[in-house]
Amino acid sequence: MSNATRMDAIYARQRHFYDLTRKYYLLGRDRLIARLDVPKGGIVLEVGCGTGRNLIAVAKRYPDAQLFGLDISEAMLTTARAKVAAAGFADRITLKQADATDFDPAALFGHANFDRVFFSYTLSMIPDWQAAIKQGAEVTGGTLHLVDFGQFERLPRWFGTGMKAWLAKFDVEPRNALPDVIERIGLEASLTPGFQPLHCGYAWSGSLTRQNI
């Protein structure tokens, strides 16, 4: 089964109540959006945009930005397009179906790179997540931001064990190598890496920034 087919199967029903349930445990998303610091007239790409919730929030916070989103699941994009239209941002948010590990931004969106690129709780569901970060870094003209599940390292052991077992039921795997991968990709791509645990390690936040901005 391809990853696109797998994601469509997972979200065929979940997409209808995804945002209502996820707001209680996808911590750090709004912090990421607040820290994007999009330049006036900037262009922003979300990799793994899901229902479009984050892009709509970015559009509200940065009214001069032009926004783009890609997702491998056409089922999720169906919901995203409806939400974007209902929010009145169809003229500012462009959505396309694509694989996070291998996409041509110029062909999809007419831009070779973006002022801001971000991943929000997507890496833990992408099989080749390291390739996804590398691809995101290649199209980043400014800063790449990411947030995802951490290793729950400063929380009770029973909580971390239980969370990982529960997440596994939904094909979600927190990436314990994330700090090292951010560091390595930063070195390879001449990007400055950043990393910070949030909420006692419940979430991990990272960044890769171009040196010349």
Side-chain angles (χ1 to χ4, degrees), residues 4-207:
T5 302
R6 183 171 66 92
M7 290 296 99
D8 278 342
I10 290 172
Y11 290 120
R13 294 178 60 187
Q14 285 192 44
R15 64 192 176 94
H16 299 294
F17 51 85
Y18 183 94
D19 289 336
L20 181 63
T21 56
R22 265 56 175 186
K23 70 179 182 179
Y24 297 109
Y25 64 89
L26 299 188
L27 307 181
R29 295 184 298 173
D30 292 331
R31 177 185 181 275
L32 181 154
I33 291 168
R35 290 170 175 253
L36 284 177
D37 193 24
V38 181
K40 187 175 179 62
I43 55 175
V44 179
L45 171 67
E46 181 177 14
V47 181
C49 62
T51 64
R53 179 265 186 195
N54 295 326
L55 287 172
I56 291 170
V58 174
K60 291 177 179 177
R61 188 176 185 94
Y62 304 99
D64 296 316
Q66 194 68 29
L67 311 173
F68 302 89
L70 65 86
D71 203 284
I72 201 167
S73 170
E74 189 59 47
M76 286 295 250
L77 288 171
T78 297
T79 295
R81 293 187 185 105
K83 286 181 175 289
V84 165
F89 292 123
D91 61 332
R92 291 180 52 208
I93 299 176
T94 301
L95 303 170
K96 297 289 186 178
Q97 194 275 338
D99 186 331
T101 67
D102 184 20
F103 62 90
D104 182 343
L108 285 174
F109 303 118
H111 295 280
N113 54 62
F114 303 84
D115 298 299
R116 302 290 183 267
V117 176
F118 70 97
F119 295 78
S120 174
Y121 284 93
T122 55
L123 296 172
S124 53
M125 296 196 71
I126 298 173
D128 194 356
W129 60 277
Q130 298 188 33
I133 298 177
K134 184 175 181 180
Q135 175 74 9
E138 289 176 356
V139 304
T140 298
T143 302
L144 179 152
H145 295 265
L146 61 89
V147 66
D148 214 307
F149 291 107
Q151 292 295 303
F152 316 102
E153 60 271 20
R154 293 177 58 197
L155 292 163
R157 182 174 295 181
W158 62 264
F159 181 86
T161 301
M163 276 295 295
K164 289 178 181 179
W166 181 71
L167 291 170
K169 295 179 184 294
F170 303 95
D171 288 338
V172 176
E173 181 183 353
R175 307 305 187 182
N176 63 358
L178 183 59
D180 293 335
V181 171
I182 292 173
E183 189 78 25
R184 174 176 57 79
I185 291 176
L187 182 64
E188 293 172 351
S190 297
L191 299 170
T192 301
F195 175 78
Q196 182 180 3
L198 305 175
H199 307 292
C200 297
Y202 181 97
W204 281 356
S205 172
S207 63

